[in-house]
Every structure is written in structure tokens, then in C-alpha cells.
Amino acid sequence: MKSRAQEMVPGGRMVLSFMGRRTTDPTTEESCHHLELLANALMSMVSEGLVEEEKVDSFNVPYYAPYPEELKLEIQKQGSFVVDRPEAFEIDSKQHQEGSE
């Protein structure tokens, strides 16, 4: 964030886009949906013989989907930016999946 702040012109704005969650609980199902999609893709690759199942079993994807307030506090804690217009958009992943089949 500090590096980006040096590139900004006075009064400039920046758009940040993140995958996040709506609830304060990081263990909700909505926080893990994209990982389910990844798991399905990997298991398809196993069934096609493209990837060994043992490698999928040992695959680790550290990921944390922030809650909007957490993100805002972290950005402001850095001291380089002020969050003045946070917006959240929901993607209907079921409709998105059906459209790609």
C-alpha cells in the first residue's frame, strides 16, 4: 500500500478489488465456495489421470477472505489511504457455473 501511495497523484483514487465475505465469521460456507470449485477441478484432473491423487491430498492453499470492516481497518492502519466508498458486490456463483457448462 505504501508503494502505491507514492505513485498516486494528489487527490487521486484507487479501486481495490478483493474476494471477501459478508459475515464476521471466517468459517462460513461463503468463505470457502471458490475452494470447492478448485477442489472439483483438481478431482476432475485426478479422474482424467492428469494429476496424482496423493498430490491433491497434500495440496495446501492458504486463503483468508476478509470482512469489509477488517479490510477497511487494515488499509487505514497503513496510513497511506482513506477508505471513503466501500462497496460490496455479490456474484451468483451457481448461475456463473451453469453458464460455463
Side-chain angles (χ1 to χ4, degrees):
M1 296 302 286
K2 290 180 182 179
S3 296
R4 297 292 78 82
Q6 294 173 359
E7 300 170 351
M8 296 292 292
V9 297
R13 293 183 177 255
M14 179 171 37
V15 174
L16 301 175
S17 178
F18 298 91
M19 286 182 66
R21 64 181 194 281
R22 293 174 288 184
T23 66
T24 57
D25 181 3
T27 63
T28 60
E29 192 174 305
E30 75 175 9
S31 298
C32 303
H33 180 71
H34 67 287
L35 294 176
E36 182 181 333
L37 297 174
L38 176 60
N40 290 341
L42 289 172
M43 292 314 292
S44 290
M45 293 172 73
V46 167
S47 68
E48 293 174 21
L50 300 171
V51 175
E52 296 173 25
E53 189 168 0
E54 295 79 26
K55 289 185 178 180
V56 173
D57 290 343
S58 66
F59 188 63
N60 182 20
V61 181
Y63 177 78
Y64 182 76
Y67 181 65
E69 282 303 310
E70 290 175 308
L71 192 56
K72 182 178 179 180
L73 289 172
E74 189 60 34
I75 290 170
Q76 290 179 341
K77 185 170 75 173
Q78 297 292 322
S80 303
F81 292 96
V82 173
V83 178
D84 67 350
R85 196 171 156 192
E87 295 184 29
F89 302 93
E90 186 173 337
I91 297 172
D92 183 355
S93 57
K94 290 180 182 174
Q95 180 182 8
H96 196 66
Q97 278 182 310
E98 290 170 1
S100 64
E101 290 180 1

